[in-house]
Amino acid sequence: MLTQIKMPCNLEPVPIKSHPGYVCLRASGDNIPLHLVNHQGDEYYINRRKIQAWFRENVDEVIQELAYIHRIGERSYELKCVTGGHIAHTIKATCLSDPARKICFDFVLAIMFSPSMWPSVFPQQRNQERSWYAVPCKIKSPNVENDLLSFIVCSPYWEHMALKKKQNLKDGLRLMKALRDANDMPKIFSYTIKSLFLNAASVKRINWNQSPGRILIRMIVLMVKFLRKGFLPLYLVPDSNVLEGLGKDERMDYMRRLFRILKLLIKCRNRNCMTIDDIELIFGISVLQSL
């Protein structure tokens, strides 16, 4: 879930050369938050590591005040903020009476800007006053210096429109995330999966009226294809590679895992039946617990 942060100053997205989809945020005005910026010459730029730490500190303070969540007449949950060192911040709620029962909420810090501030980059939306967001994100290309000023752009509105009224496609996306979690593929991030589905929907590579299970099989085939190439375009920024953080060995490992899952799913499809053991193997215990 994107969590919008409003800055008390003016922010201008500045494209990062040779890295499509990435920007720096130049700050100007009388109320620049000096504790969140780097000073370069006469200019100020938002430091993604500083703003992530600031956001996490505020979340931690709120959690300390709440401590626990009580569901009326049911269970009590202990709250904890977990950070994996990547884009998202996760609040994990653990049931006190049943520690195996957990609920997780992901928050992604985002800074809004209008496409009119950067029209040449988004020509397909230049006449649309829909907001875009800059999300703190390290440039994941190999052998690239860690730029603490880098942000990646996204557009929740256009992503929502691409999946609108395609419930089976959205269900297939959720299934893809579940099998990712159950089969130890942490570097296939949620936005990697979302980009896969968004691109497939936009170029009509898939019939979204199919059942979610058949959609899932098709999307696994596509994911293997992109992993083999080592390139999956970021939705609406086609020159940007969502898989740039994956090395060749990691891609090969994930391809093998996905091939194994694909064979099992095809067997289930052919016999028109999925057993409890199949569900546990493909999607993990968490899927069964949520039913």
Side-chain angles (χ1 to χ4, degrees), residues 221-233:
V221 172
L222 285 177
M223 179 63 83
V224 169
K225 174 184 175 182
F226 285 117
L227 285 169
R228 183 182 291 114
K229 292 173 58 178
F231 185 90
L232 170 60

Side-chain angles (χ1 to χ4, degrees), residues 47-156:
N47 181 305
R48 63 176 170 80
R49 185 170 292 175
K50 290 179 181 178
I51 200 169
Q52 287 280 59
W54 169 81
F55 181 76
R56 188 164 51 249
E57 289 168 2
N58 281 274
V59 172
D60 285 337
E61 288 187 12
V62 172
I63 287 179
Q64 289 175 15
E65 292 292 328
L66 293 175
Y68 302 98
I69 287 181
H70 303 277
R71 293 180 62 184
I72 298 175
E74 297 186 22
R75 302 176 178 88
S76 295
Y77 287 81
E78 182 181 15
L79 298 179
K80 183 178 181 181
C81 183
V82 180
T83 176
H86 193 61
I87 295 176
H89 304 265
T90 301
I91 294 179
K92 182 180 292 186
T94 304
C95 180
L96 295 178
S97 60
D98 182 7
R101 185 182 294 273
K102 296 180 173 64
I103 303 173
C104 293
F105 307 89
D106 290 334
F107 295 86
V108 176
L109 182 155
I111 300 174
M112 184 177 72
F113 63 90
S114 168
S116 61
M117 299 175 65
W118 201 25
S120 62
V121 179
F122 308 115
Q124 64 269 55
Q125 277 85 40
R126 69 174 58 189
N127 295 321
Q128 303 287 341
E129 281 300 314
R130 295 293 180 177
S131 296
W132 285 65
Y133 291 83
V135 173
C137 183
K138 176 183 177 181
I139 297 174
K140 297 183 287 293
S141 297
N143 305 318
V144 173
E145 184 179 353
N146 186 13
D147 188 347
L148 298 181
L149 308 181
S150 63
F151 290 73
I152 196 166
V153 297
C154 66
S155 178

Side-chain angles (χ1 to χ4, degrees), residues 171-191:
D171 290 341
L173 189 152
R174 295 185 183 99
L175 290 175
M176 191 82 163
K177 289 182 180 179
L179 74 83
R180 179 272 315 270
D181 294 339
N183 291 274
D184 193 24
M185 295 182 283
K187 286 196 176 180
I188 297 183
F189 301 113
S190 293
Y191 200 76

Side-chain angles (χ1 to χ4, degrees), residues 222-267:
L222 285 177
M223 179 63 83
V224 169
K225 174 184 175 182
F226 285 117
L227 285 169
R228 183 182 291 114
K229 292 173 58 178
F231 185 90
L232 170 60
L234 178 68
Y235 183 60
L236 295 179
V237 191
D239 292 333
S240 181
N241 182 16
V242 181
L243 299 177
E244 61 186 353
L246 278 173
K248 183 177 179 180
D249 290 343
E250 290 173 316
R251 289 190 285 110
M252 294 298 294
D253 179 43
Y254 287 173
M255 286 171 60
R256 286 191 291 267
R257 293 170 190 259
L258 289 171
F259 268 128
R260 176 179 57 82
I261 296 167
L262 181 61
K263 289 180 181 178
L264 182 53
L265 282 170
I266 291 174
K267 287 181 180 179

